[in-house]
Amino acid sequence: MSTPELAPVSVIIPCYNAADTLRRAVDGVLDGAPANLELLLVDDGSTDATPALCDELAAGDGRIRVLHRKNGGASAARNAGLDAALGDWVLFVDADDTLTPGLWQALGEAFAADPGMVLFGIDRASGPNPCPLAPGYYADPSALGKALRPLLFESGYLAAPYGKVFSARALRTAGMHFDEALKVNEDVLFNTVFLQNTISIFCLPGVYYYQYDQKWGSLSRRLRGDLLKAEARCAPELKTMLLRWGYPPESFLRESRLRACLNQYGLLTGCPGKMPYAERRALFAEILAQPDARAALQEQLRHDAHPLLALPYRLGVAWNLPGLLAGYTLLKNRFL
């Protein structure tokens, strides 16, 4: 059953080689959706059956529009969707995720309050992800109080593009686009810049987004070395946002850097893949230069379930030997 009299929403799905999951994502968006919904499928130069599937889905439902473009990454695809969107509200969905039933029926109350952003609950394949913010209306980010930290860090509700609906008017006023130079944390940067403005937030009580976050090929689960640079790019905008709304920035910035260091360490030591020794060593050295990160890693390694395999890491962290960490990781990936 469709939902009448809801302000028009543009849903943007960036699609790259998503033939296996896109139909599920589209079905989730269209389930109970109003007649004035606009669903933009942005084919980002896919090399599988995704382009044909996009066209097939559009032929079957007049609410779907397809944008075919050369491959430029998720940020460029989302930007293309933003530039083409006609709705009063904008919602991002990843092509391997889905909306869950009930969102369209729940949005009426939120839209009536005319916020800059509507938050709603997210569930994840890796486990529950409850929203740390109580349902209701918040006049601006200063009203989030103690919930801001878990919204940014533990839960990631303000670090991801999904799990929220943006006011198209607020996006246009702020001139919002994703930074296409970033391949990770571009969503963190987008939300942080957006929240520098006078953005009211309405939080719904329900869970309406399901994230399939256990796919091996996702950006957070494969070897990469750009997490520290991406965090450094985002930190000044995070600081500006915190100061704008009266939050002392020091502890937030420390936690942001610590999490980037620990995540980068985890990818370097836990993900197979090719990366030159010199690059690994430089990244380990940058991580070990952070006292908070060294202390956290030492504590983590003390409780490692495989103490013999972890011994070189314990020594490398304790003695500040990035070369040992880089060399041992390369050997472990080759022989274990």
Side-chain angles (χ1 to χ4, degrees):
M1 181 178 178
S2 64
T3 301
E5 300 180 359
L6 190 69
V9 179
S10 294
V11 180
I12 298 170
I13 303 182
C15 314
Y16 178 72
N17 290 355
D20 292 340
T21 62
L22 180 58
R23 190 180 296 275
R24 178 184 66 196
V26 168
D27 287 345
V29 170
L30 296 180
D31 184 16
N36 63 356
L37 178 85
E38 176 184 55
L39 175 52
L40 293 166
L41 303 180
V42 186
D43 167 36
D44 189 39
S46 298
T47 58
D48 66 352
T50 297
L53 178 57
C54 288
D55 293 337
E56 175 192 334
L57 293 167
D61 194 308
R63 293 171 293 181
I64 301 175
R65 283 202 288 147
V66 181
L67 305 176
H68 294 289
R69 62 185 313 279
K70 293 182 179 179
N71 178 252
S75 289
R78 290 189 182 114
N79 286 340
L82 279 173
D83 291 340
L86 301 176
D88 294 342
W89 300 87
V90 174
L91 167 62
F92 295 102
V93 175
D94 281 359
D96 52 357
D97 296 336
T98 188
L99 297 180
T100 54
L103 175 63
W104 306 118
Q105 290 74 19
L107 282 174
E109 179 187 2
F111 287 177
D114 196 27
M117 175 191 290
V118 180
L119 287 180
F120 52 85
I122 301 170
D123 197 6
R124 288 175 173 159
S126 60
N129 186 36
C131 183
L133 186 65
Y137 178 82
Y138 299 82
D140 60 54
S142 69
L144 301 177
K146 293 182 179 179
L148 179 61
R149 187 180 300 272
L151 283 168
L152 286 170
F153 298 127
E154 288 91 348
S155 69
Y157 272 71
L158 289 181
Y162 44 78
K164 57 184 63 66
V165 185
F166 296 92
S167 160
R169 183 178 67 249
L171 290 172
R172 288 193 296 269
T173 299
M176 294 302 303
H177 281 86
F178 290 87
D179 186 337
E180 297 180 17
L182 286 178
K183 302 304 179 186
V184 65
N185 279 17
E186 73 285 352
D187 39 11
V188 178
L189 182 62
F190 184 89
N191 289 331
T192 301
V193 173
F194 185 67
L195 291 170
Q196 291 173 13
N197 302 284
T198 305
I199 298 301
S200 55
I201 297 171
F202 194 102
C203 185
L204 294 172
V207 176
Y208 302 114
Y209 192 96
Y210 192 84
Q211 182 189 19
Y212 292 86
D213 63 343
Q214 293 184 306
K215 184 179 178 181
W216 174 251
S218 68
L219 292 182
S220 61
R221 295 171 63 84
R222 69 169 186 255
L223 182 62
R224 56 186 305 129
D226 56 353
L227 270 61
L228 301 180
K229 287 183 179 179
E231 191 278 334
R233 167 70 180 88
C234 296
E237 299 294 354
L238 174 60
K239 183 177 181 179
T240 298
M241 187 271 284
L242 293 167
L243 290 172
R244 168 74 172 84
W245 300 114
Y247 294 93
E250 291 77 13
S251 64
F252 284 88
L253 295 174
R254 255 196 327 270
E255 183 164 357
S256 176
R257 192 61 177 174
L258 172 61
R259 287 175 175 272
C261 286
L262 296 181
N263 289 336
Q264 185 63 80
Y265 177 91
L267 294 183
L268 289 171
T269 59
C271 293
K274 294 182 178 180
M275 181 183 290
Y277 168 83
E279 183 179 353
R280 287 181 186 266
R281 187 188 185 285
L283 287 169
F284 279 123
E286 190 172 353
I287 293 167
L288 295 181
Q290 302 290 322
D292 290 351
R294 280 189 68 191
L297 288 171
Q298 285 178 300
E299 180 63 22
Q300 177 181 309
L301 289 164
R302 271 197 289 269
H303 302 284
D304 195 282
H306 305 284
L308 289 179
L309 288 175
L311 181 59
Y313 289 128
R314 289 182 63 183
L315 295 176
V317 171
W319 296 346
N320 196 6
L321 299 172
L324 174 60
L325 297 176
Y328 178 62
T329 300
L330 285 170
L331 288 173
K332 183 168 70 73
N333 288 345
R334 178 175 297 181
F335 295 111
L336 296 181

